[in-house]
Amino acid sequence: MKIKKILISQPKPELERSPYFEIAKSHGVEIDFRPFVQVEGIPAKEFRKHRIDILSYTAIIMTSKNAVDHFFRICTEMRVIVPETMKYFCISETTAYYLQKYIQFRKRKIFFSNHSYADLVELMRKKHKDDKYLLPCSDGPNEEYTSLLDRDGIRYVKAPLYKAVYSDISDINFTQYDMVVLFSSAGMNSMLNSFPGYKQNNTVIAAFGEQTAKAITSAGLKYHIVAPQPNSPSMAAAMDLYLKGEYILSDDPFAAMAPPPKKAKPAAKKPAKSLPEKKMEAEPKKEKQVAKPAPKVIQKPAPKIVQKPAAKKAKPVVKPKPKQPAKKKIMPATKIKNKPVAKKKSKPIVKKAKKSGKRKK
């Protein structure tokens, strides 16, 4: 079946160098863009109810461009400055390069996987298990991302930053499209919401991600293209291979994407037995000869020897000595020092003038 018209369930790319435009030119197909889901950001007031401190985490897991946009939006609204030491783990190379819209690419630690989310989680487990991860996501279930993190014991917290709202696509005529490209399980549910009795017929359905593929099969439909894969890390690469006739869908396309199973620890080997021990096992066991008990010898108790108490010797009487009169203690005579007698000062003799016999007349 030749593909002539393709419907992609995403907004039209703003960049002219989009790989979808190159596919349309090289293969001569017509591509229409129509988002099946509208993404609405959760306001900062509602996000604060989760009590998540962004600066307390050392790494961010980016699963899509929507996650990148709304993470930096919420940081701006909450006036949070993301430090340069923050690590970013992106699900694909395109998502990693999309970070250039908000940060300087060279100054940051950015890791990405070209094949699958499972490979990205394996990288976290091996080299960055001690980090604390923040997972920006929608408010819906995210088992596709959380199950692998839980299995490997990685510390993370979900940060619901946006929500998916079904778009009204009831005006689309699916019969005129030869291929429909779905990027999420929400897109599949939106399609069934607008067209409950949808029939696939000969339409080729492409699914991005394991969760999207499971949603397609649970709806009773069949997918023909799956991305990412080792030979097609993006949906555009998978579509290009399919239009060239070089795409091969395996029975279990996600087996190659899963991380290698953990090897069981080898059982501890028992130490090799020495030669004497082996000989002892080879020889038949001899019955143990029970030794007869020796006859008991009854010993007579020894006669008790009663000792007579020894006679006490009288102590000689000691006569008390006559008391001698106590000697009087003669105190040494104290030397009496004669104080020098102070000499009395003699008073000066005052001579009285003799009265003359003459009297005044």
Side-chain angles (χ1 to χ4, degrees):
M1 178 184 176
K2 188 176 181 181
I3 305 297
K4 295 180 180 179
K5 201 169 184 179
I6 301 173
L7 176 62
I8 294 179
S9 60
Q10 276 191 341
K12 189 175 182 179
E14 297 177 359
L15 300 175
E16 296 180 357
R17 296 181 180 179
S18 173
Y20 296 113
F21 297 147
E22 295 179 4
I23 289 173
K25 290 179 181 180
S26 58
H27 296 283
V29 295
E30 183 182 351
I31 298 178
D32 291 339
F33 295 90
R34 181 72 179 271
F36 287 10
V37 176
Q38 297 290 338
V39 178
E40 296 180 0
I42 293 174
K45 185 179 180 181
E46 186 176 346
F47 177 74
R48 285 192 180 95
K49 295 179 182 179
H50 298 282
R51 296 181 179 180
I52 296 174
D53 183 11
I54 296 174
L55 297 180
S56 64
Y57 297 90
T58 58
I60 312 293
I61 304 172
M62 297 298 187
T63 56
S64 64
K65 292 181 180 180
N66 287 327
V68 175
D69 289 333
H70 290 283
F71 171 75
F72 287 101
R73 173 191 61 80
I74 209 75
C75 288
T76 303
E77 291 181 7
M78 296 179 67
R79 297 180 181 179
V80 175
I81 300 174
V82 183
E84 293 185 359
T85 55
M86 186 71 77
K87 299 177 184 178
Y88 299 90
F89 291 82
C90 304
I91 195 170
S92 64
E93 187 177 3
T94 55
T95 307
Y97 279 108
Y98 188 71
L99 287 170
Q100 292 181 353
K101 185 177 178 181
Y102 300 98
I103 61 174
Q104 292 183 3
F105 198 80
R106 294 179 181 178
K107 292 186 177 181
R108 303 299 174 97
K109 296 179 180 180
I110 300 173
F111 309 89
F112 60 88
S113 170
N114 284 329
H115 302 296
S116 68
Y117 181 73
D119 290 343
L120 187 64
V121 174
E122 188 71 8
L123 174 64
M124 298 179 199
R125 185 184 66 83
K126 285 183 177 179
K127 298 183 179 180
H128 306 277
K129 194 171 183 179
D130 295 334
D131 285 309
K132 290 177 64 179
Y133 292 88
L134 187 68
L135 177 63
C137 58
S138 64
D139 60 347
N142 311 101
E143 296 179 0
E144 181 180 3
Y145 304 117
T146 58
S147 59
L148 292 176
L149 297 173
D150 293 334
R151 186 196 65 181
D152 290 338
I154 295 173
R155 296 182 300 169
Y156 75 96
V157 169
K158 292 196 299 182
L161 301 178
Y162 54 93
K163 54 186 176 181
V165 181
Y166 297 157
S167 302
D168 184 12
I169 55 174
S170 56
D171 58 327
I172 296 176
N173 184 10
F174 282 92
T175 57
Q176 63 179 351
Y177 293 103
D178 302 315
M179 180 187 294
V180 178
V181 183
L182 301 172
F183 289 88
S184 64
S185 57
M188 182 72 245
N189 296 333
S190 176
M191 180 178 171
L192 295 176
N193 186 47
S194 298
F195 299 92
Y198 173 78
K199 293 183 179 181
Q200 184 175 359
N201 298 325
N202 296 324
T203 305
V204 176
I205 296 180
F208 186 85
E210 185 176 1
Q211 205 71 16
T212 309
K214 287 180 180 179
I216 293 170
T217 53
S218 61
L221 305 176
K222 181 182 178 182
Y223 57 84
H224 302 80
I225 303 172
V226 174
Q229 291 290 299
N231 59 345
S232 52
S234 64
M235 179 55 74
M239 290 171 59
D240 187 42
L241 288 175
Y242 187 86
L243 295 173
K244 290 179 180 178
E246 299 175 0
Y247 184 84
I248 299 174
L249 181 65
S250 61
D251 296 333
D252 189 3
F254 300 103
M257 297 166 59
K262 295 181 179 179
K263 294 181 180 179
K265 294 181 178 179
K269 293 182 179 180
K270 294 181 179 180
K273 295 178 180 178
S274 59
L275 291 174
E277 289 180 356
K278 289 182 179 179
K279 287 181 180 179
M280 289 293 290
E281 288 185 359
E283 292 177 0
K285 293 182 179 179
K286 295 180 180 180
E287 294 182 358
K288 293 181 179 179
Q289 293 180 356
V290 181
K292 292 181 180 180
K296 293 181 179 180
V297 179
I298 300 171
Q299 294 181 353
K300 292 181 180 180
K304 293 182 179 179
I305 300 169
V306 180
Q307 293 181 355
K308 293 180 180 181
K312 294 183 179 179
K313 293 181 180 180
K315 293 182 179 179
V317 179
V318 180
K319 292 181 179 180
K321 292 180 180 181
K323 293 183 178 180
Q324 295 178 358
K327 292 181 180 180
K328 293 182 179 180
K329 291 183 180 180
I330 300 170
M331 299 296 291
T334 55
K335 291 181 180 181
I336 300 170
K337 292 182 179 181
N338 295 325
K339 293 182 179 180
V341 180
K343 291 181 180 181
K344 294 182 179 180
K345 293 181 180 181
S346 58
K347 292 181 180 180
I349 299 170
V350 178
K351 291 181 178 183
K352 292 182 180 180
K354 289 181 179 183
K355 296 180 179 180
S356 62
K358 292 180 181 182
R359 293 182 180 180
K360 291 180 181 183
K361 291 180 179 180

